[in-house]
Amino acid sequence: MYLITVLGNLLIILTVSCVSHLHTLYLFLSNLSFADICFISTTVPNMIVNIQTHKRVISYESCVTQMSFFAIFGCMDDLMTVMAYDHYVAICYLLNYMVIMNTQHCAFLVLLCFLFSLLDSQLHNLFILNPSYFKDVEISNFFCDLSQLINLACPDMFANNIIMYFTGTIFGFLPISGIICSYYEIISSILKMPNTRGKYKAFSTCGSHLLLVCLFYGTSLGTYLFSDVSSFPRESAVAFVIYTVVTPMLNPFIYSLRNRDIRSALRILYNRTCSGSSI
Ligand SMILES: *[C@@H]1O[C@H](CO)[C@@H](O)[C@H](O)[C@H]1NC(C)=O
């Protein structure tokens, strides 16, 4: 699964960078693919090594490092909010699309997303940067997970819940409400369209994005809100695998299989490499 994820996402990055006619939405997509590669690389290689060596300890420093990168790249999936905004501009302001989503604006949105992720990761570090809490502690997971570490750092349930809900609100609620607002506008303008072909085209553009959003936010919210790690370690580990491994793996397939632009770009790329090698 790790190899499929890395290769699939690399293929998307390659396709987008080689075929320049794809519009700016695909820049966000290739950034998302890059974030997905990094996201899965923070947990899975380490897990595979641990399984091979039967080693189950991790030093405090590597744990904090893993957790920080996990948070940064996990939060980079908020690029999906940026993509929702892009769909909104494409559908509601079609004639001004090229003016609004120019290169600087796109770069700014990606940068904003990155800074937001950095803030998220540093805020979490603030709560657990005290090595004395973590002497010989055990977490029931295959990587250093934020929520479990916060549980260990602040055994006080009340403070703990406040921290979780505060950061959850800022870093989960804001992007999701952005997506909901964009889709509200998109759907109301689609319903106003006069012809059914236009409607169908607009819906199918948004379909793959919506599927991705549901998959990612569904599993991540599910694992954080409803998994009681202390009572169901096994079930929550399965939920964590879905969230950290399956979602980044499915991203490239959902986009490339359902998307005509990407499919034709892949064909162009394929023809180009074939004719190149025959020369
Ligand atoms: C990410 O987005 C920026 C700004 O749109 C773009 O310049 C850059 O090439 C993208 N990175 C990747 C890996 O596609």
Side-chain angles (χ1 to χ4, degrees), residues 27 30-31 106-107 110:
L27 280 184
S30 73
N31 273 287
C106 288
V110 173

Side-chain angles (χ1 to χ4, degrees), residues 80-81 83-88 91-92 176-190 202-213 255:
M80 283 180 208
T81 312
M83 288 162 89
Y85 171 71
D86 184 275
H87 281 312
Y88 160 66
I91 288 175
C92 301
I176 291 179
S177 52
I179 291 176
I180 291 175
C181 288
S182 302
Y183 270 99
Y184 176 75
E185 294 290 332
I186 289 173
I187 288 173
S188 51
S189 79
I190 285 179
F203 265 123
S204 69
T205 316
C206 299
S208 43
H209 178 255
L210 262 185
L211 205 62
L212 220 65
V213 167
Y255 248 97

Side-chain angles (χ1 to χ4, degrees), residues 109-210:
L109 287 174
V110 173
L111 188 69
L112 197 70
C113 207
F114 179 71
L115 291 179
F116 192 65
S117 316
L118 203 62
L119 182 70
D120 176 40
S121 135
Q122 295 314 308
L123 211 64
H124 280 109
N125 279 352
L126 214 62
F127 297 122
I128 66 153
L129 279 186
N130 187 348
S132 62
Y133 288 132
F134 303 107
K135 274 224 160 69
D136 300 328
V137 290
E138 237 180 80
I139 54 172
S140 55
N141 212 339
F142 55 91
F143 68 104
C144 286
D145 172 46
L146 304 170
S147 54
Q148 292 179 33
L149 284 174
I150 289 178
N151 260 319
L152 291 170
C154 330
D156 176 12
M157 276 310 274
F158 184 66
N160 205 347
N161 281 341
I162 288 183
I163 293 173
M164 285 299 283
Y165 285 117
F166 177 69
T167 52
T169 313
I170 293 183
F171 294 100
F173 184 72
L174 275 184
I176 291 179
S177 52
I179 291 176
I180 291 175
C181 288
S182 302
Y183 270 99
Y184 176 75
E185 294 290 332
I186 289 173
I187 288 173
S188 51
S189 79
I190 285 179
L191 291 180
K192 277 192 225 122
M193 280 180 185
N195 62 343
T196 40
R197 256 193 81 206
K199 270 184 195 172
Y200 175 75
K201 192 148 179 269
F203 265 123
S204 69
T205 316
C206 299
S208 43
H209 178 255
L210 262 185

Side-chain angles (χ1 to χ4, degrees), residues 52-65:
Q52 283 300 317
T53 57
H54 300 287
K55 185 176 135 257
R56 288 188 175 170
V57 284
I58 185 165
S59 69
Y60 172 74
E61 291 80 12
S62 12
C63 184
V64 172
T65 312

